[in-house]
Amino acid sequence: QVQLVESGGGLVQVGDSLRLSCVASGRTFASLAMGWFRQAPGKEREFVATISRYGSNPYYADAVKGRFTISRDNAKNTVYLQMNSLKPEETAVYYCVAAFRDWGTTRATDYEHWGQGTQVTVSS
């Protein structure tokens, strides 16, 4: 069983940066493709970013390309999401996700493990 615990959310101003972290339990982290999704109030959950189990091939939603960076440290069982130039419409609960596969996908249904989420609020 994989447990994911996110941290790093909070209240920031427009244009600020935040770094989210997600620590995975167990000794199988290197076998997991990792990703981030988000869900804003009253909206559908949406894909944000993913990275392969090898730490390569990061892939981003168009809305965050050039501003967000996903990375991972397999020695620390941790995946990160660096978010720069944040916008008010990016206020959401951000979820860390994991799947036993080589490459990440954009489909929520491909990820069998989800964290509890961390709130990010961007104030204007």
Side-chain angles (χ1 to χ4, degrees):
Q1 182 70 10
V2 176
Q3 292 188 324
L4 304 173
V5 179
E6 303 100 332
S7 63
L11 172 64
V12 296
Q13 301 294 313
V14 170
D16 282 353
S17 298
L18 270 180
R19 188 176 80 156
L20 305 183
S21 299
C22 171
V23 179
S25 65
R27 293 177 286 182
T28 57
F29 186 73
S31 301
L32 296 165
M34 303 295 296
W36 292 90
F37 283 72
R38 65 188 179 189
Q39 187 165 22
K43 293 191 176 181
E44 297 277 321
R45 184 171 49 191
E46 64 175 353
F47 166 77
V48 177
T50 186
I51 191 166
S52 75
R53 62 185 283 247
Y54 309 107
S56 59
N57 293 85
Y59 185 79
Y60 302 93
D62 287 344
V64 307
K65 276 180 187 173
R67 298 185 298 116
F68 288 17
T69 302
I70 187 171
S71 62
R72 65 189 292 161
D73 184 339
N74 284 2
K76 295 183 178 180
N77 281 18
T78 302
V79 64
Y80 304 97
L81 185 67
Q82 176 67 43
M83 306 185 294
N84 298 330
S85 303
L86 282 161
K87 305 174 182 180
E89 56 266 37
E90 293 178 314
T91 293
V93 177
Y94 283 71
Y95 296 94
C96 176
V97 298
F100 283 104
R101 54 189 299 135
D102 290 344
W103 313 106
T105 82
T106 63
R107 294 184 298 269
T109 53
D110 285 339
Y111 295 94
E112 59 263 36
H113 303 286
W114 289 69
Q116 291 297 307
T118 185
Q119 177 70 45
V120 172
T121 302
V122 185
S123 172
S124 56

